[in-house]
Amino acid sequence: MPKKAVKVNNVVFASRSEIAHALGGCAMIVTDRNVKGLYGEIMPNAFAIPAGEKSKCKEVLFDILSEMSKRGLDRGDRIAAVGGGVVSDITGLAASLYMRGIEYINVPTTVLGAVDAGIGGKTAIDFDGRKNLVGSFYMPKTVYIDFSFAASLPRRELMCGLGEIFKTCLLTRKTYDLLVSKFDVAAELQLDILEELARACVAVKCEVTERDFRESGLRRVLNVGHTVGHALESANKNDKSHGEYVLTGILTECAMCGELVKSEYRAELEEMLLRLVKFPRTSAGGVLKYALGDKKNTNGEIEIMLPVAAGEVACVRLTADDFVERYNLAVRGGRGGNE
């Protein structure tokens, strides 16, 4: 890590001691039980929720709000989220709701949190069987990133982070070229390469969210791979990591709308993606149910943000019938025609 904190917008690449100092100024810290067991020394008296996606629910949200009230927090206080995407999503939402909004900081301890979930100000819980249905746009005061946290992560969590790194690298020519040049090592989940790619992605996401905070236009490019990815994630009850579903979503959506993707680029993407994931086996009906409920949709059409060339993303809208037909053709072709 650098000797001095390096700042990009509201993101600070900081040391563990700098993070501990920042946490010391918070009236309450929210984490999960796994993270508290690993890093309890930097967050005494933290409120720990169960680890995992199941905690992104209304019951845990109100547990956090109740604890904030019990501790007597007021509008002048600040809270902290220390953990992965689940912790940052639900803590940010709690901060946006409590007394109509108090300050919070994020300390992502996963690669996914550092490159995506912990930055940008999207907060949410899952609701009524749909991912991130209830939430708010609420920017953290500061995001403190120390990639040394990633050293304790299992392979699944590193792969989860790689999924969002891969997606973000598709958004500019510069980051795409960097991904291609580093992919062989990144696919082996080598931490220093994941950090190099993640730092580049942080800069991209900060620029996008600064220009379009409420996702009215440009920010929608960050949803590459997420239409099919989120639908599979919900249909399959999170049996893989979010990042793996994003990768599967990119692979599937590019096959669904292949005529719109530059041929050489599509071939290069597919070659990389098939080293990481496979085409899905979930039925079109199972996917359609959740794709129809995606927040991006308008006028009854399913919206896909499609990478069509290096650094170029197009918005594609499909009817339900077209979506099913294209999905079936894509997954059958991806499996060599086998069911």
Side-chain angles (χ1 to χ4, degrees):
M1 290 300 299
K3 293 182 179 180
K4 292 184 179 181
V6 176
K7 189 172 184 179
V8 179
N9 290 20
N10 69 327
V11 178
V12 178
F13 296 97
S15 67
R16 194 69 59 89
S17 61
E18 289 164 332
I19 289 171
H21 178 75
L23 293 176
C26 295
M28 179 173 156
I29 299 168
V30 181
T31 188
D32 70 40
R33 293 169 186 169
N34 291 346
V35 174
K36 186 173 183 179
L38 290 168
Y39 307 112
E41 74 280 358
I42 65 170
M43 46 180 170
N45 301 315
F47 181 73
I49 65 175
E53 184 75 18
K54 290 182 179 180
S55 282
K56 274 181 62 171
C57 62
K58 61 183 185 296
E59 291 81 10
V60 174
L61 172 65
F62 278 91
D63 285 345
I64 295 170
L65 291 168
S66 178
E67 184 68 18
M68 293 165 74
S69 178
K70 288 177 184 177
R71 297 192 187 194
L73 273 63
D74 61 35
R75 281 184 170 175
D77 286 320
R78 178 183 295 176
I79 66 172
V82 183
V86 170
V87 171
S88 63
D89 278 1
I90 198 168
T91 305
L93 181 55
S96 75
L97 294 171
Y98 188 79
M99 293 188 172
R100 297 195 176 98
I102 66 172
E103 283 187 357
Y104 78 108
I105 65 171
N106 271 337
V107 181
T109 59
T110 65
V111 178
L112 173 68
V115 75
D116 183 70
I119 60 179
K122 275 188 176 182
T123 78
I125 57 169
D126 303 335
F127 186 76
D128 198 24
R130 293 161 65 183
K131 189 172 175 67
N132 297 332
L133 184 64
V134 175
S136 63
F137 291 96
Y138 197 67
M139 189 67 81
K141 179 71 174 177
T142 310
V143 181
Y144 294 93
I145 295 178
D146 175 7
F147 284 100
S148 71
F149 284 118
S152 65
L153 295 176
R155 179 178 177 84
R156 173 180 166 131
E157 287 299 325
L158 294 176
M159 180 63 77
C160 183
L162 178 58
E164 285 290 351
I165 286 172
F166 193 105
K167 175 212 76 176
T168 308
C169 282
L170 303 184
L171 304 185
T172 74
R173 179 80 220 200
K174 181 178 180 180
T175 49
Y176 179 71
D177 288 344
L178 179 64
L179 172 67
V180 171
S181 70
K182 303 289 184 180
F183 181 76
D184 286 343
V185 184
E188 299 300 321
L189 303 179
Q190 189 168 310
L191 278 177
D192 59 338
I193 300 302
L194 292 182
E195 177 176 351
E196 181 181 354
L197 291 169
R199 283 176 176 264
C201 290
V202 166
V204 171
K205 182 162 186 181
C206 283
E207 180 181 358
V208 169
T209 54
E210 184 178 33
R211 291 169 60 187
D212 179 21
F213 178 53
R214 293 190 175 273
E215 203 172 38
S216 59
L218 174 64
R219 185 169 179 164
R220 287 153 68 192
V221 300
L222 295 171
N223 291 315
V224 165
H226 279 63
T227 299
V228 169
H230 271 175
L232 288 169
E233 194 168 1
S234 295
N236 296 337
K237 309 299 182 186
N238 312 108
D239 66 343
K240 296 179 182 178
S241 72
H242 172 71
E244 289 172 288
Y245 282 117
V246 170
L247 292 168
T248 305
I250 299 169
L251 176 68
T252 307
E253 290 170 6
C254 284
M256 289 172 65
C257 304
E259 76 279 9
L260 302 176
V261 184
K262 187 176 179 180
S263 58
E264 292 181 4
Y265 175 69
R266 179 185 168 191
E268 191 170 45
L269 274 185
E270 189 167 290
E271 181 180 356
M272 290 189 289
L273 288 163
L274 285 173
R275 290 180 56 182
L276 303 172
V277 293
K278 298 178 181 179
F279 279 91
R281 294 192 171 274
T282 306
S283 70
V287 174
L288 178 65
K289 172 185 174 182
Y290 295 101
L292 283 170
D294 195 288
K295 300 182 297 300
K296 302 185 295 299
N297 297 341
T298 55
N299 300 320
E301 294 181 318
I302 298 168
E303 181 175 297
I304 290 174
M305 301 307 295
L306 184 72
V308 294
E312 184 179 343
V313 176
C315 179
V316 179
R317 294 186 175 91
L318 305 173
T319 65
D321 288 344
D322 197 14
F323 180 93
V324 168
E325 182 179 359
R326 287 172 177 270
Y327 178 88
N328 282 331
L329 288 172
V331 298
R332 286 172 186 160
R335 299 177 201 151
N338 297 320
E339 290 295 336

